[in-house]
Amino acid sequence: MLRTPVCELLGIELPVVCAPFGPWSEVPLAAAVCEAGGLGSLGTAGRSVSDLQREWGEMRRLTSRPFAINHTTRPLDEDAFQATIEEHPAVISFHLAVPQDLISRAHDAGILWIQQVMDARQAAEALDAGVDVLIAQGGEAGGHGGEVSTLVIVPQVVDMAGETPVIAAGGIADGRGLAAALALGAQGVSMGTRFLASEEMPASDEWKQRILAADATDAVKVAGSERILPPYNRPGSFGVPRALRTPFVDTLRDSPEDIDPKEVVPRLMQAVHAGRGDEYMPFAGQSAALVHDIQPAGEIVRGVVHEAEAVLAGHHR
C-alpha cells in the first residue's frame, strides 16, 4: 500500500485525510476513515464543550487510531480549545489564520499541529510558527478557501516547506488527484467533498444527491456570506466559503439586504444540527464534478489509494 513519510509522523497507514466539517457531527465518518488507515477529523464550530466531549468519547469508543480535532477563527472558542488540549488528541488541525500562541500550547501538551494555508504568506507564517504539517489548500476547495489554485499552491508551499510535510487539498476526489499531489511534492491529500458523499456522513440525502448531480461550475464562492456566518475573532483571518448554488446563495450575492440575519441564522443553525443546511449553503468544492456515487468511507479511502498506485505504476486508463 502507498505510504509516505507523513504517515509515520501522524501514525496512520495511508496518506488520506478526511477534512473537518465545522458544525456538522461527523463521528461515524471520521472513525471509519481512521479504521481504514487514514486520518479522520472532527470539527468544533457552533457546539458546546459538553457536546464536543461527548463526541470525542464516542470517537474513542469507535476507534483507537489517531484522529484530528479542528478549530478555526470563525470564531475561535477558547473554552473548546482548552477542552481539546485536555482531551489530548494526536493532532489539532487549524485553518483561516496561523495562531502562534495556540500552536505553542498544543506543542507544550505533546500534540501535533496541522496548519491549513491558502497562500504563500500564510505558509511562511506557519513555518515560522513551527507547525508539524502543512495543508496547501487550493481555491477549488469547498468550505472556506482562498483564490490560488491547487496546481500552483501545492508546489509553491512544497518549495517553501523544506522538511515539513505538505498535504494537498482542493479539487481532489479520486486516486488521480492523489497521484497528481504526490507528483507536485505533497505527501498526501485532504478531501472534503468526496467524503460528504459517503454513507457515514450524517448529511441529508438531498445534499449528497446534489453533489452527485453537480458540475464544477455549480460550486461557487458565496459572496455576502459574512452577513450570516460568525465573525472572525483572530487577526490575519480570511477565507470565503464555496458552496453549491441555491436561491439563498444567489440572494446573498444579489440582494443581501433581503436577508435578515436575526431571522435566518437560528433557522440555519437548527437545520445544520439536524444534518441539513443544504437548502441554504451546501458547502462543496469543484471536485463535486468528480463524485458519482455514495460509498462507505473505508472504500473511498482504499479506492483512492489503489487508483493512485495504478496511476503511478502506469496501469491506469
Side-chain angles (χ1 to χ4, degrees), residues 138-141 143-147 219-223 239-243 249 253:
E140 300 95 321
H144 287 73
E147 300 295 335
V220 299
K221 289 288 190 178
V222 183
V240 177
R242 185 185 292 279
V249 167
R253 179 195 62 212

Side-chain angles (χ1 to χ4, degrees), residues 83-94:
T84 301
I85 294 291
E86 294 168 4
E87 179 68 22
H88 206 279
V91 182
I92 291 175
S93 64
F94 206 94

Side-chain angles (χ1 to χ4, degrees), residues 39-121:
L39 184 71
S41 306
L42 299 175
T44 57
R47 278 172 288 162
S48 68
V49 170
S50 60
D51 186 35
L52 293 172
Q53 290 171 329
R54 179 190 57 77
E55 287 199 351
W56 299 338
E58 179 64 16
M59 184 71 174
R60 293 193 186 278
R61 284 189 288 274
L62 291 175
T63 184
S64 61
R65 300 191 179 196
F67 62 91
I69 295 177
N70 176 261
H71 290 269
T72 81
T73 61
R74 194 164 205 178
L76 175 73
D77 184 328
E78 171 56 36
D79 290 339
F81 187 83
Q82 180 56 36
T84 301
I85 294 291
E86 294 168 4
E87 179 68 22
H88 206 279
V91 182
I92 291 175
S93 64
F94 206 94
H95 62 285
L96 305 184
V98 181
Q100 172 70 74
D101 58 324
L102 304 185
I103 296 168
S104 297
R105 284 167 62 185
H107 283 164
D108 288 346
I111 302 170
L112 294 172
W113 190 278
I114 296 178
Q115 180 69 45
Q116 184 164 287
V117 300
M118 296 176 278
D119 60 22
R121 177 190 63 80

Side-chain angles (χ1 to χ4, degrees), residues 91-221:
V91 182
I92 291 175
S93 64
F94 206 94
H95 62 285
L96 305 184
V98 181
Q100 172 70 74
D101 58 324
L102 304 185
I103 296 168
S104 297
R105 284 167 62 185
H107 283 164
D108 288 346
I111 302 170
L112 294 172
W113 190 278
I114 296 178
Q115 180 69 45
Q116 184 164 287
V117 300
M118 296 176 278
D119 60 22
R121 177 190 63 80
Q122 270 198 337
E125 290 180 4
L127 291 167
D128 288 344
V131 303
D132 300 289
V133 179
L134 289 164
I135 294 180
Q137 183 205 41
E140 300 95 321
H144 287 73
E147 300 295 335
V148 184
S149 75
T150 301
L151 197 63
V152 172
I153 194 171
V154 172
Q156 184 183 28
V157 172
V158 167
D159 288 346
M160 298 171 64
E163 297 299 313
T164 302
V166 176
I167 291 171
I172 299 168
D174 57 26
R176 294 171 296 178
L178 172 54
L182 297 176
L184 294 173
Q187 295 186 21
V189 294
S190 176
M191 300 189 301
T193 303
R194 170 66 271 201
F195 284 115
L196 280 172
S198 67
E199 291 185 2
E200 292 86 350
M201 180 63 189
S204 66
D205 187 61
E206 290 88 347
W207 191 347
K208 295 178 184 181
Q209 292 300 323
R210 284 210 61 195
I211 291 172
L212 267 55
D215 183 66
T217 55
D218 296 322
V220 299
K221 289 288 190 178

